[in-house]
Amino acid sequence: MKNGVKRNISYTGKIKFSGIQIKEPLSSSAGFLGVKEALNHTFKEMGIIRATKALMKMNQEDGFRCPSCAWPVPLKPSKVAEYCENGAKALADEATTQHINADFFASHSVEELSQLTDFEINKLGRITEPLLLRPDSLHYESISWENAYEIIAKELHDLNNPDKAIFYTSGRSSNEAAFLYGMFARAFGTNNMPDCSNMCHEASGVALSNTLGIGKGSTTLEDLHEAEVVLTVGQNPGTNHPRMLAALEKCKNNGGSVISINPLEELGLVNFKNPQNISDMLGSGTPIADIHLPVKVNEDIALVKLILKKLVAIETLKGNVFDLEFIEQYTNGYQELMEDLNKYDSSELLARTGVSENDIDKTVALLASKSKIIVCWAMGLTQHKNGVETIQEFVNLLLLKGAIGKPSAGTFPVRGHSNVQGDRSVGIMHFVNKEFNQRIQKHLGFAPPTTKGYDVAAAISAMHRKEAKVFMCLGGNFAMAAADTEYTAQAIQNCQLTVQISTKLNRSHLITGQTALILPTYGRSEKDYQNGQLQFLTMESSTGKVRQSRGLLKPASGAIKSEPEIIASIAHTYFDGNHAVNWKAMGQDYNLIRDAIDKTVKGFENTSERSKGFGYYLPNNARIRDFSMLPQGKAKLTINTLSEHRLEKDELLLMTFRAHDQFNTTIYGLNDRYRGIYNERRVVFMNQEDMLEKNLKAQDIINIYSTYHGKTRIAKQFLVVPYKIPKGNIGAYYPETNVLIPHDEFDPRSRQHISKSIKVRVERSE
């Protein structure tokens, strides 16, 4: 291989302001404006007729699954609009009529394109043919599929150790593609399968497995409708999973209460106008959160401990607060937990939370009198150094109330990308499951590796040390989604070959190894024919339901291929058709993949048939109070410690989050109307007292610095925006601030990076 040219790639794009406008945040989420924004976006990107046709089939029984979040489809969905604004935008983004090919790249070098913002890169459109970036070139060029497969096969064969290859998976893939991808990685000889779970809900999986014996939530969507109390913690449903608001509205209409626990009072939980209900949209909407607890960043454990101490006091005085029969029969660790709670001073816990005691007492009174309680959470809980312990503390609350394993009660981690949970279920994991390996050997005929592989944090470090040489990505935008942007980019550039299986261009196609391939694939909404037969795929929702997805639009190009076909062809080429698994056949008939899933993956059974309609639920032990896989066959009450940040006098705690016009790292637009921000993303939300102490005023330009282990990182040029956020905390959008997250700071148990609690300093930009 040639040494190649030195590519001057920007890791962030040219830093520039777009012309900010700041207005009062809206008073209601969704409603007519949400419908208008959704339709305007889809019509502009797809055309009116094509967009309408696709929207009518999204999340329908005979249609395709939304390419956005993993929110489940109700048993009785709307026949007209079972989607939200951001789901419509995700569809339009994927099915856009804007296309680019080799001619485009002949005129635009990767250096030039890297100067664009992530928003500008995303707007360039769908990639319509396979592309190659040679080591001595700055321009992608056309390549045949066969030659692309040969390049990958040769690079993999040239490795002297299978663990020098890394296979990353995004949550947009199907069960079929993820299973095939995971099996190829194992057949190749490595468990290096980092995935987006390592960045979003790994803490949930670890905490729930440790306490309840399953790394998934225990509730169904319908449980939410009948719950007496729903706690939404560390999440922003109005932007990140808007269809959840309709479920919370049903809960409220059925007499339930909603408690929001989050540093920011997000609009979706303030008021919701259901776009599926005309009278609701014409009226004043539905107030969602009965109580909002604006807890300081990463002080959730202190808050729950205080709530538990107050509940213990009521239980001691009056009784009938805790489910003592459930605790005795189904849990371990009750006495130890009570002893631990006694160690904490209530006034000190209260001071840490930053929440008024009156609001906490209202919460306690509500929880004391109810037993059908659901706790929902997202990355506001998981992305901390103590993310696992934080989730375990909320599980303690549920276990003491007996709110596990019965209708309308339990755990509900709200997953991000549409099939991130399914990817893990069908085998995308870096750790070793001996029983799974045995089933693979029995039914697929090869012995999987038995050594633990790289997760995201380990993969980045291995590439940075030049110990990994080939980096393949099944979807996603790894360079921007991961922590420590500059370090991660340098790591990727150390590779000999990088491969991206993608629909659209993103910055990860510009931050590459010496040789780079882009293999364009179908979108979720596009028809997938193999050997003249229309195929379907399956996905798993946040509640563990598996169902079919079948596209209806003509593919963006005749030169693109499906994910299963691409993966199968890579495997077939690598093994030269000589392997126990008939990869080529699987890539042409997805029923064969599902048959293999049914034989090897626990809980899957007759999937090709049972996934029809609204699908089937995978087994869930916590849902039926079966804790036999845990020590002494009981759920585990845990002892968890308070957060410990040790901020210097001039430091603040930064939390990162999405704007309303984005999904993960995909930027649809520059507005965040729910927070009153228009035409800008380079903003920092600050408490006015903190601004006064630092002699800052609105729209001052600042730089943000983080210093860990003697290394200082900088995010340049952000506009200060006064906002209702707890004192000592600031907020900003990702991925622009991912550059501040150190690659070596993460929860020691989940190894998730500290994206929601970064120690920073702010200074005026010169």
Side-chain angles (χ1 to χ4, degrees), residues 190-407:
T190 186
N191 283 313
N192 288 346
M193 287 178 276
D195 73 312
C196 58
S197 288
N198 300 151
M199 302 188 215
C200 59
H201 269 285
E202 196 69 52
S204 300
V206 173
L208 293 175
S209 295
N210 181 52
T211 56
L212 302 178
I214 185 171
K216 303 178 183 182
S218 65
T219 52
T220 68
L221 174 57
E222 288 65 37
D223 286 329
L224 271 181
H225 301 162
E226 302 295 333
E228 294 175 318
V229 182
V230 175
L231 280 73
T232 65
V233 193
Q235 64 174 143
N236 175 15
T239 289
N240 299 341
H241 22 265
R243 285 190 295 142
M244 180 180 182
L245 297 178
L248 294 177
E249 182 185 44
K250 287 184 179 179
C251 174
K252 295 295 296 291
N253 291 340
N254 289 332
S257 300
V258 176
I259 301 170
S260 168
I261 302 175
N262 198 56
L264 302 181
E265 187 176 39
E266 302 289 16
L267 180 63
L269 292 170
V270 174
N271 191 279
F272 170 58
K273 290 188 176 182
N274 193 335
Q276 296 178 354
N277 187 323
I278 295 297
S279 62
D280 200 23
M281 288 202 291
L282 291 173
S284 57
T286 302
I288 297 297
D290 298 274
I291 303 171
H292 173 62
L293 304 180
V295 64
K296 288 184 176 181
V297 168
N298 198 212
E299 292 295 351
D300 303 271
I301 292 180
L303 177 62
V304 180
K305 284 188 184 297
L306 181 55
I307 290 172
L308 290 178
K309 282 179 70 69
K310 288 176 176 286
L311 288 172
V312 168
I314 300 174
E315 171 67 32
T316 303
L317 184 64
K318 299 180 180 179
N320 297 320
V321 172
F322 294 154
D323 189 336
L324 298 179
E325 183 178 341
F326 173 89
I327 292 169
E328 173 66 25
Q329 183 175 353
Y330 291 106
T331 73
N332 275 327
Y334 177 74
Q335 192 58 45
E336 293 86 346
L337 178 59
M338 294 300 106
E339 292 171 0
D340 177 71
L341 289 173
N342 286 332
K343 297 176 183 178
Y344 294 93
D345 179 78
S346 293
S347 60
E348 292 178 1
L349 292 174
L350 178 64
R352 290 184 68 123
T353 69
V355 180
S356 78
E357 187 163 21
N358 182 55
D359 286 338
I360 293 176
D361 286 341
K362 290 179 183 178
T363 300
V364 170
L366 188 59
L367 293 172
S369 63
K370 307 296 182 183
S371 65
K372 294 181 178 179
I373 302 167
I374 294 176
V375 178
C376 306
W377 69 89
M379 287 181 282
L381 287 196
T382 65
Q383 291 182 326
H384 299 286
K385 198 160 188 175
N386 60 347
V388 171
E389 288 195 285
T390 301
I391 295 162
Q392 289 182 165
E393 197 68 20
F394 279 97
V395 174
N396 283 344
L397 170 62
L398 291 172
L399 289 174
L400 291 176
K401 294 294 297 181
I404 292 287
K406 68 180 183 182

Side-chain angles (χ1 to χ4, degrees), residues 152-167 188 190 192 467-471 496-497 574:
I152 297 169
K154 182 180 185 307
E155 288 288 349
L156 292 176
H157 278 296
D158 285 349
L159 298 178
N160 59 13
N161 184 336
D163 288 330
K164 291 187 176 182
I166 297 171
F167 299 83
F188 172 68
T190 186
N192 288 346
E467 292 177 4
K469 300 296 185 182
V470 176
F471 183 47
Q496 293 176 353
L497 173 68
Y574 175 80

Side-chain angles (χ1 to χ4, degrees), residues 9-272:
I9 300 297
S10 171
Y11 303 148
T12 59
K14 185 177 181 180
I15 295 175
K16 56 187 177 182
F17 295 121
S18 306
I20 190 170
Q21 297 178 44
I22 301 177
K23 304 178 183 179
E24 282 294 317
L26 300 179
S27 58
S28 295
S29 62
F32 282 115
L33 183 55
V35 174
K36 177 185 175 183
E37 291 289 331
L39 295 181
N40 281 348
H41 195 86
T42 52
F43 291 170
K44 181 179 179 180
E45 294 287 339
M46 300 174 63
I48 295 176
I49 296 175
R50 189 162 168 266
T52 302
K53 177 183 177 183
L55 287 170
M56 293 288 286
K57 287 294 185 181
M58 190 154 69
N59 289 324
Q60 298 299 325
E61 181 175 352
D62 57 346
F64 61 94
R65 284 292 306 275
C66 175
S68 183
C69 76
W71 190 254
V73 177
L75 291 175
K76 297 180 180 179
S78 166
K79 294 296 184 183
V80 178
E82 190 53 56
Y83 56 86
C84 66
E85 176 188 343
N86 270 8
K89 288 179 177 177
L91 166 65
D93 192 73
E94 169 186 278
T96 179
T97 56
Q98 294 293 317
H99 296 163
I100 52 177
N101 56 19
D103 292 339
F104 170 86
F105 288 99
S107 303
H108 300 84
S109 71
V110 290
E111 291 181 339
E112 173 191 347
L113 292 170
S114 75
Q115 294 298 318
L116 300 177
T117 66
D118 292 281
F119 170 63
E120 291 168 332
I121 292 172
N122 184 61
K123 284 297 181 184
L124 294 173
R126 287 285 296 276
I127 303 167
T128 58
E129 62 178 315
L131 299 165
L132 167 68
L133 181 65
R134 298 181 186 275
D136 57 351
S137 178
L138 297 176
H139 295 262
Y140 276 102
E141 61 187 70
S142 181
I143 185 175
S144 70
W145 282 101
E146 290 72 20
N147 286 343
Y149 300 146
E150 289 290 349
I151 288 174
I152 297 169
K154 182 180 185 307
E155 288 288 349
L156 292 176
H157 278 296
D158 285 349
L159 298 178
N160 59 13
N161 184 336
D163 288 330
K164 291 187 176 182
I166 297 171
F167 299 83
Y168 171 77
T169 312
S170 157
R172 81 167 291 281
S173 63
S174 62
N175 287 337
E176 290 76 8
F179 177 80
L180 214 57
Y181 192 61
M183 289 306 109
F184 173 58
R186 290 178 175 88
F188 172 68
T190 186
N191 283 313
N192 288 346
M193 287 178 276
D195 73 312
C196 58
S197 288
N198 300 151
M199 302 188 215
C200 59
H201 269 285
E202 196 69 52
S204 300
V206 173
L208 293 175
S209 295
N210 181 52
T211 56
L212 302 178
I214 185 171
K216 303 178 183 182
S218 65
T219 52
T220 68
L221 174 57
E222 288 65 37
D223 286 329
L224 271 181
H225 301 162
E226 302 295 333
E228 294 175 318
V229 182
V230 175
L231 280 73
T232 65
V233 193
Q235 64 174 143
N236 175 15
T239 289
N240 299 341
H241 22 265
R243 285 190 295 142
M244 180 180 182
L245 297 178
L248 294 177
E249 182 185 44
K250 287 184 179 179
C251 174
K252 295 295 296 291
N253 291 340
N254 289 332
S257 300
V258 176
I259 301 170
S260 168
I261 302 175
N262 198 56
L264 302 181
E265 187 176 39
E266 302 289 16
L267 180 63
L269 292 170
V270 174
N271 191 279
F272 170 58

